[in-house]
Amino acid sequence: MRAVLARYLQAAGTKALVSLLMFLVLGAITQGIAFTLVVPIADDLLTPDTPVPWSWIAVLGAITVVHSVLHYRSVPMGNRIGADLVTTLHRAVADRASALPTRSLGPVHADRLASLDGSAVVVLMGLPAHVLRPLVAAVVTPLTVIVISLFVEPLLAATLAGGLLVVVAASFATARLLTRDEEPDGPEWLRRAYESPGAFPHGGRPGVLLPAVGQVLLWRIVELAVCGAVAVCAVLSTGDDVSAAQGVALIVLSALTFRPVMEAALLTSTVVNSRATLSTVGRLIGAGDPEPPTAEWPVACDVEFEDVGVAVGGATVLTGVSFRLAAGTTAALTGTPDGVRLTLADLLTGDLRPTSGRVLIGGVDVAAIAASEAERRLCRVSPVQGAGSAGSDGSDGVAGSSASLADRWRLALEGAIAADPALVVVDATAGAEAFATAPDLAELLSTLVRDRTCLVIPGAGLPLPHCDEELVVEGARVAVRATEVR
């Protein structure tokens, strides 16, 4: 969580943060000065036969005006930084999602991704706009009151300093109580609701009211008890000559002084409750991930599967697949089912990582090749995706256009030829019948596979180009054998 917050706070810019903190510190100082003025004003107002302290009231009014101006200037600054953090979050999530391998972020993850993004927006937007202000006030305001009291009544200042330590300890303990459970995100609430239909008896709402009220009451009881104890100690520490009016003024001063500490702990607990959400967002956008792959594209372009296996949810999809495709040769991946053949293609393009074994290109693991290198040298072609690099979703292709199937094939093949990749995967499991109506497609396909390493996944109706090998998939057991295609 700290790594994610640090990353976004750095994105906001040091200058903007320093400016905001300067305004918040000045605002907290003026707030502390205003609190200390409560003592002479309340003492004179509550003491009989004492004139109204207009001079102190005028000073309090001037301090209030300064504090209001500082608050007015700091609010838009905090909102602007919060907006920058949210924008950074959206872009980071979008960039990471767009770079994920094809089909690795399916519809099943859409609700959680939206919830993570939305929850983190609330947290990040509130950090500079709402949480940072009470945190600064919790430190600066009590210290301001203590420093001013030191020149008037040293014993009172010492008592307030001791009370500050007590309040901080109590706030920390209360915050730990409020953050002992992780706050579930939206999809988790939905899952609980669907899996526990008895949680809504007679159509009622889940029983969260009493726990919530209990936490709030606990918080307020601790707050009132601590502030009251410190206030009484402050009154007693000033000596026996304290009048009733002065006692009331000192109690009010103590309560005002330590209230920001309790509020800061409350808001901090809200952020800490979102640590799971922020940590998950961090994993999604790659915060804390190891360095991305940086290997260059190998000089040789031979393909080798070394005892590759894939398991999904405990079910074995592939097991013990081993074969080698020499550089510059073309292989036809035939057999059934299509899902297994597409899985082999996904492994070759890096869209899918094997659970066991390795997939090598020129002796280099596909997972170690830099994304920029794979994008430039590896191409996957189909009429559904168009022509794109490994991991492309086809958004730049022709899948969404109104062109005919033959036109989509033609544009995909021509785009792949123009890209001049070193390794090509042609996915013709769908739309191969277009080759029967457009003879030029077969010529384009032959041009594409010529003099480069190519894996063709033929569908019904695809006229196979000259292939050096045939990789036959037989059933779900995936027995692969290499034979020469005549």
Side-chain angles (χ1 to χ4, degrees):
M1 176 179 175
R2 286 192 295 266
V4 179
L5 292 178
R7 174 176 178 173
Y8 290 126
L9 290 176
Q10 289 173 359
T14 305
K15 184 178 180 180
L17 284 175
V18 170
S19 300
L20 176 61
L21 285 174
M22 182 186 68
F23 276 93
L24 293 181
V25 169
L26 292 176
I29 292 175
T30 57
Q31 182 175 252
I33 297 174
F35 288 167
T36 56
L37 293 176
V38 170
V39 176
I41 293 175
D43 186 19
D44 290 345
L45 289 177
L46 296 175
T47 302
D49 302 328
T50 301
V52 177
W54 291 113
S55 58
W56 289 116
I57 293 176
V59 174
L60 178 61
I63 293 296
T64 302
V65 170
V66 174
H67 180 76
S68 301
V69 172
L70 293 172
H71 180 80
Y72 176 78
R73 291 293 305 275
S74 63
V75 167
M77 294 173 65
N79 290 335
R80 189 178 305 111
I81 294 177
D84 291 340
L85 297 182
V86 172
T87 302
T88 303
L89 169 69
H90 279 304
R91 290 175 177 171
V93 172
D95 291 344
R96 181 60 184 269
S98 64
L100 288 174
T102 305
R103 294 181 295 279
S104 64
L105 190 64
V108 69
H109 301 100
D111 58 348
R112 187 158 302 274
L113 176 61
S115 175
L116 290 174
D117 199 1
S119 302
V121 162
V122 176
V123 175
L124 293 176
M125 188 71 183
L127 282 177
H130 303 293
V131 179
L132 193 58
R133 185 183 305 279
L135 285 177
V136 173
V139 176
V140 178
T141 297
L143 291 180
T144 302
V145 175
I146 291 172
V147 170
I148 295 176
S149 302
L150 186 63
F151 293 97
V152 179
E153 184 66 50
L155 186 57
L156 174 62
T159 305
L160 292 177
L164 178 61
L165 297 178
V166 174
V167 172
V168 169
S171 301
F172 178 77
T174 308
R176 288 296 300 269
L177 289 175
L178 295 178
T179 58
R180 65 185 185 272
D181 297 324
E182 293 185 356
E183 181 68 20
D185 56 14
E188 177 64 17
W189 281 113
L190 290 176
R191 184 189 66 77
R192 294 182 182 183
Y194 281 119
E195 293 181 358
S196 304
F200 300 91
H202 310 295
R205 296 181 180 275
V208 298
L209 180 60
L210 290 179
V213 171
Q215 285 190 348
V216 172
L217 287 179
L218 172 65
W219 179 265
R220 294 308 175 192
I221 290 173
V222 172
E223 178 183 5
L224 293 175
V226 173
C227 290
V230 174
V232 171
C233 292
V235 174
L236 296 177
S237 66
T238 55
D240 299 331
D241 56 345
V242 178
S243 64
Q246 289 177 332
V248 172
L250 290 175
I251 290 175
V252 172
L253 172 64
S254 300
L256 292 175
T257 300
F258 298 115
R259 183 65 187 271
V261 181
M262 309 296 286
E263 292 298 328
L266 178 62
L267 288 172
T268 302
S269 67
T270 302
V271 177
V272 175
N273 274 334
S274 303
R275 61 187 181 276
T277 295
L278 289 177
S279 298
T280 308
V281 171
R283 290 193 297 271
L284 176 65
I285 64 174
D289 282 356
E291 291 296 325
T294 57
E296 296 183 355
W297 189 264
V299 177
C301 200
D302 56 297
V303 173
E304 185 173 3
F305 278 57
E306 289 186 349
D307 198 24
V308 172
V310 176
V312 179
T316 300
V317 179
L318 291 173
T319 178
V321 178
S322 298
F323 65 86
R324 186 176 183 276
L325 181 61
T329 59
T330 299
L333 186 59
T334 61
T336 57
D338 283 349
V340 175
R341 295 194 294 160
L342 292 175
T343 298
L344 289 170
D346 291 341
L347 290 168
L348 178 56
T349 59
D351 292 340
L352 180 66
R353 301 291 171 83
T355 52
S356 62
R358 296 190 304 167
V359 179
L360 306 175
I361 299 178
V364 180
D365 197 318
V366 174
I369 299 177
S372 58
E373 290 288 311
E375 182 178 1
R376 185 171 60 92
R377 304 293 288 165
L378 181 56
C379 184
R380 184 166 186 160
V381 183
S382 79
V384 178
Q385 288 183 302
S389 61
S392 172
D393 61 358
S395 58
D396 295 329
V398 291
S401 68
S402 58
S404 66
L405 185 59
D407 290 336
R408 292 200 294 262
W409 263 117
R410 188 175 295 107
L411 290 174
L413 292 170
E414 290 176 348
I417 294 172
D420 192 23
L423 178 61
V424 179
V425 175
V426 180
D427 177 8
T429 53
E433 63 275 8
F435 283 78
T437 60
D440 61 316
L441 295 181
E443 182 179 351
L444 288 173
L445 178 59
S446 298
T447 302
L448 174 63
V449 304
R450 188 180 303 129
D451 298 329
R452 55 172 54 93
T453 308
C454 182
L455 183 67
V456 181
I457 311 176
L462 178 71
L464 277 175
H466 170 76
C467 294
D468 303 286
E469 289 182 320
E470 182 180 9
L471 306 175
V472 183
V473 178
E474 296 178 348
R477 188 171 172 270
V478 195
V480 179
R481 67 176 185 270
T483 59
E484 185 178 354
V485 178
R486 302 291 182 182

